[in-house]
Amino acid sequence: MRFLLKNTQTLIGSKISSIISNINRRKGEMQYGKLMFLLSLVLGWLSFVGPAFAITDPLSTPNNKFGIHIISATSDESSPAANLVNSSGGDWGYVTALVESKDRNRDKWQSFFNDLRRRHLIPIVRLATQPEGNFWKLPYEGEETAWADFLDNLTWPVKNRYVVIYNEPNQGQEWAGKADPRSYARVLDKTISALKNKNPDFFVLNAGFDASAPSKLPQFWDEVDYLKQMDQEVPGIFNKLDGWVSHSYPNPGFAGSPNGTGRGTVRTWAWELQLLKGLGLNKNLPVFITETGWKHAEGIDLDKSLPATDTLSQYFKTAFEEAWNSRQIVAVTPFLLNYQEPPFDHFSFKKITGEKQNQKILGASFPDYYPHYQALLDLPKQSGKPLQENKAEVIGGFIYTSIVAGESYISTVTLKNAGQSIWNESVPFQVKALGGQKELGIEFLPFPAQKVEPGQEATIDFKFKAPQSGAYEVTLQLLSGNKPFDQEPFTFTTAVKSSPLLLVKAKLPWKKSSVGDYLLSISSDFFQETLSVKLNNEGLSPSWEVRNLLPDHNYTFTLSKPLYKQSLKSELTNSLYKPQVLKQRISSGLNELNFGALEINFGELLKAPWSIGQLLF
């Protein structure tokens, strides 16, 4: 189905027409179809459901298959969706959402993905082009690259990036007015390649097909013939998929029994997999039922020919417990959480709340959602544990590559969350020293308890003490709980060296003697200190040990000469000499800081000309 108000009347009409057209054709096939379905079901139980052919098998970890189809990428949709699919013991359920080519807005979708991450919802993103009249345009040449660039520029909530390549192309209105299996096969093939070449984490899925569409070219193409034509155009195309999308609607009229079997039922997915095996599919594709569900009588206007929402409660319960109770099904996202206008008001889980609402249908005492929302809410669910990348980038702080024997240090490292998980959300973020722990006595200071989302920053602090000698390799392993991050540990080497000695050398112009008190300021990115220094007549200081300076690091030294005597007639506070700046790399042992002759600050002298004597004597 498609979310476009101006075209939805045509869309629904075509679906119903396709169902009616198939009823007579399938009467003779009914018994045979049931037998084939039962046989395939037994074979499915006896066979092993193999891993997905993608970077991560979604069924290799605990999975919550419950999901819902939403219409817009907003918290208004994600909030009730999370309440629904993550209820009754569930966690990390699914939402199917559509993105049109005109809506490739990174900021919007990244904000939505961030919201899904916080609510523990896994997105299934369905690609769409743009509407043109009563049809949806064909993808333009090279659009697969635009999709790959856009989707790869987003930080996804989980490792698998589920992408559905368009929608029901065996209906002409979904493919520029003409159902064309060969064209779609080529587009699908190019889009798979573009996404996989960009990032192997893309989990690429086919468009769901209208299994009830009649053979009425060019508007409709029977799914069996359509899939055969696709395989002829691109041999092996279905083996290139990572999973199979099914629109397992309970037809006819979206009001069929939850016990139906075969094509055009809630078990359409099983019929499709059997069909694919006949077309050469050689792997067990995980199944994503991204559209299913019943039309109900309640809506803008009451339609008594449809089942009531109370009946849908039992329908959904039966379907989840029986028809969709398969190890091969990853997600079921019924259509549709909230739609307030025809023709999808009869699919909506949320009641009609606008002015057009027929009050005689709903009454004032009903809650916001129909009973089948509550029924799904109450069904027991599994707590999903999808894989997420845990990564960090060092973007600041200081690592000591050389230290002074016997000195204690505190090192601060600023990290950026470059992964998908939220640090400190359910398990604590931790740091462990794999190397250098014993020799340096590394001790990590408590890490802040607040959550750190992808793109945000945090700091780790650890203290240690230098032994008397040696060089040590320090390896820091980041962990989420007890699980190491998905990257190599951070490693650096620090060497223990003797402390630096400083000797200052400077001259005062116009004076025979440079004796006196001076100020020496020392600074770097991680250090700042000011010391008093005495120079003798020759302008030399005694050498002295500075243990808090690190050998083999660059420092900025500033030498200034304060006034000998503060004038009572002046507010002069600056020196009559300009501060002299020297940048120098410090090593172990003696380091001479030669500032040369200090320059006279004539600007300050003009303010207090009576101070000239201090420059001469």
Side-chain angles (χ1 to χ4, degrees):
M1 293 186 180
R2 189 68 77 171
F3 309 127
L4 184 64
L5 287 174
K6 62 185 289 187
N7 293 327
T8 48
Q9 296 285 5
T10 302
L11 188 155
I12 290 295
S14 67
K15 276 187 175 288
I16 295 175
S17 298
S18 70
I19 296 164
I20 294 173
S21 300
N22 274 283
I23 291 176
N24 292 329
R25 175 177 61 83
R26 293 178 54 210
K27 281 182 177 178
E29 302 170 353
M30 191 67 71
Q31 296 302 322
Y32 175 78
K34 286 183 178 180
L35 290 173
M36 290 301 296
F37 169 77
L38 292 174
L39 178 61
S40 66
L41 195 60
V42 172
L43 291 174
W45 284 336
L46 295 176
S47 66
F48 172 74
V49 178
F53 285 71
I55 194 68
T56 301
D57 176 7
L59 298 173
S60 64
T61 59
N63 177 65
N64 175 16
K65 73 174 62 177
F66 284 79
I68 192 69
H69 211 303
I70 62 176
I71 189 172
S72 61
T74 66
S75 59
D76 290 340
E77 296 269 307
S78 60
S79 177
N83 290 339
L84 176 65
V85 305
N86 291 337
S87 62
S88 303
D91 197 16
W92 283 108
Y94 292 82
V95 290
T96 295
L98 176 145
V99 54
E100 295 183 32
S101 58
K102 64 182 180 182
D103 195 25
R104 289 193 282 253
N105 182 315
R106 185 195 179 277
D107 291 341
K108 169 190 171 179
W109 284 92
Q110 187 58 69
S111 177
F112 180 60
F113 276 14
N114 293 342
D115 180 64
L116 296 185
R117 179 185 295 105
R118 298 182 196 111
R119 300 182 190 278
H120 286 200
L121 292 172
I122 302 172
I124 302 172
V125 175
R126 192 177 83 188
L127 307 186
T129 57
Q130 295 183 50
E132 187 175 59
N134 294 324
F135 308 124
W136 286 82
K137 297 174 66 174
L138 293 179
Y140 60 78
E141 188 66 31
E143 186 160 11
E144 68 278 358
T145 301
W147 280 121
D149 290 342
F150 166 68
L151 295 172
D152 189 53
N153 200 29
L154 298 171
T155 300
W156 290 62
V158 297
K159 188 170 179 60
N160 278 347
R161 305 172 174 193
Y162 299 107
V163 182
V164 179
I165 313 304
Y166 303 115
N167 183 66
E168 295 190 352
N170 63 323
Q171 290 194 30
Q173 66 267 27
E174 298 284 351
W175 208 249
K178 179 183 178 182
D180 185 348
R182 296 182 181 273
S183 169
Y184 177 68
R186 294 191 298 270
V187 168
L188 177 60
D189 187 39
K190 290 191 296 183
T191 309
I192 291 172
S193 297
L195 292 171
K196 292 291 187 179
N197 290 337
K198 182 64 70 169
N199 193 304
D201 288 342
F202 280 114
F203 197 108
V204 188
L205 303 161
N206 59 288
F209 295 97
D210 180 358
S212 298
S215 182
K216 189 177 180 181
L217 302 180
Q219 188 65 19
F220 301 101
W221 201 309
D222 177 85
E223 184 179 359
V224 176
D225 296 333
Y226 193 94
L227 297 184
K228 289 179 180 178
Q229 292 287 322
M230 284 181 62
D231 188 59
Q232 290 177 13
E233 181 66 19
V234 182
I237 183 63
F238 303 116
N239 284 305
K240 295 184 178 182
L241 295 170
D242 297 314
W244 181 256
V245 163
S246 178
H247 288 181
S248 292
Y249 278 111
N251 283 319
F254 307 103
S257 168
N259 298 311
T261 61
R263 180 179 188 170
T265 71
V266 290
R267 291 178 172 85
T268 293
W269 64 272
W271 171 81
E272 288 173 322
L273 291 183
Q274 193 65 29
L275 175 61
L276 291 173
K277 288 183 179 180
L279 295 175
L281 181 68
N282 57 23
K283 57 184 178 181
N284 290 311
L285 291 176
V287 174
F288 296 74
I289 302 176
T290 60
E291 286 192 29
T292 187
W294 287 263
K295 292 183 71 174
H296 49 75
E298 295 84 348
I300 295 290
D301 295 307
L302 183 64
D303 186 346
K304 293 183 179 180
S305 68
L306 296 171
T309 53
D310 286 333
T311 302
L312 264 58
S313 298
Q314 184 58 47
Y315 279 5
F316 273 111
K317 185 175 185 295
T318 300
F320 270 103
E321 292 178 349
E322 299 179 17
W324 303 328
N325 185 19
S326 167
R327 292 178 55 217
Q328 200 162 351
I329 296 177
V330 176
V332 181
T333 63
F335 186 86
L336 173 70
L337 178 65
N338 178 23
Y339 207 92
Q340 299 287 301
E341 297 284 344
F344 298 143
D345 53 325
H346 289 277
F347 280 100
S348 180
F349 277 60
K350 187 174 184 178
K351 291 183 176 181
I352 308 303
T353 57
E355 294 180 359
K356 296 180 180 179
Q357 179 179 354
N358 187 331
Q359 296 296 328
K360 290 187 293 184
I361 299 174
L362 300 179
S365 61
F366 284 80
D368 290 341
Y369 290 88
Y370 291 114
H372 56 290
Y373 179 94
Q374 185 66 46
L376 284 186
L377 197 79
D378 294 338
L379 286 178
K381 304 172 184 67
Q382 185 171 20
S383 179
K385 299 184 183 302
L387 295 184
Q388 293 178 298
E389 284 189 337
N390 287 305
K391 289 185 177 180
E393 294 178 4
V394 176
I395 61 173
F398 184 77
I399 296 295
Y400 294 90
T401 56
S402 63
I403 50 181
V404 174
E407 290 296 306
S408 296
Y409 298 91
I410 294 181
S411 184
T412 297
V413 180
T414 303
L415 301 173
K416 175 183 175 182
N417 186 341
Q420 297 171 320
S421 66
I422 299 176
W423 299 349
N424 275 341
E425 183 186 39
S426 56
V427 293
F429 172 88
Q430 300 183 68
V431 188
K432 181 180 180 180
L434 302 181
Q437 171 76 48
K438 180 178 180 181
E439 298 84 352
L440 299 173
I442 296 175
E443 180 182 345
F444 291 96
L445 301 182
F447 186 79
Q450 70 266 22
K451 297 177 182 179
V452 182
E453 298 190 17
Q456 295 180 343
E457 300 173 7
T459 58
I460 56 173
D461 300 302
F462 58 95
K463 58 184 181 180
F464 59 96
K465 185 174 182 179
Q468 293 304 307
S469 62
Y472 304 94
E473 184 177 86
V474 178
T475 302
L476 303 181
Q477 175 69 70
L478 306 182
L479 302 103
S480 178
N482 295 318
K483 180 183 177 183
F485 270 36
D486 303 312
Q487 62 190 93
E488 292 297 319
F490 299 115
T491 301
F492 64 94
T493 300
T494 186
V496 180
K497 298 188 176 183
S498 59
S499 58
L501 300 174
L502 298 183
L503 183 151
V504 174
K505 184 176 182 181
K507 290 290 186 180
L508 295 178
W510 300 1
K511 297 174 71 76
K512 293 182 179 181
S513 174
S514 298
V515 71
D517 296 321
Y518 296 74
L519 295 176
L520 179 67
S521 296
I522 309 171
S523 64
S524 69
D525 292 340
F526 54 90
F527 179 85
Q528 189 165 350
E529 187 173 359
T530 299
L531 306 173
S532 295
V533 179
K534 289 183 177 293
L535 300 188
N536 61 17
N537 288 336
E538 288 72 32
L540 294 175
S541 73
S543 64
W544 77 98
E545 183 182 39
V546 187
R547 295 187 61 82
N548 52 358
L549 293 189
L550 297 174
D552 306 323
H553 286 270
N554 295 318
Y555 292 88
T556 298
F557 299 91
T558 303
L559 187 69
S560 58
K561 182 73 174 71
L563 288 170
Y564 290 146
K565 183 187 294 184
Q566 179 67 46
S567 170
L568 296 177
K569 299 180 181 180
S570 171
E571 296 180 357
L572 180 67
T573 56
N574 292 328
S575 172
L576 294 177
Y577 299 95
K578 293 181 179 180
Q580 197 72 7
V581 179
L582 181 67
K583 294 184 178 181
Q584 189 167 319
R585 187 176 181 83
I586 296 302
S587 60
S588 297
L590 185 62
N591 297 268
E592 181 182 286
L593 306 178
N594 190 349
F595 290 93
L598 274 64
E599 296 181 29
I600 296 173
N601 192 338
F602 287 104
E604 295 296 337
L605 183 60
L606 290 174
K607 294 178 183 178
W610 53 84
S611 301
I612 191 170
Q614 297 185 27
L615 299 175
L616 301 175
F617 304 103

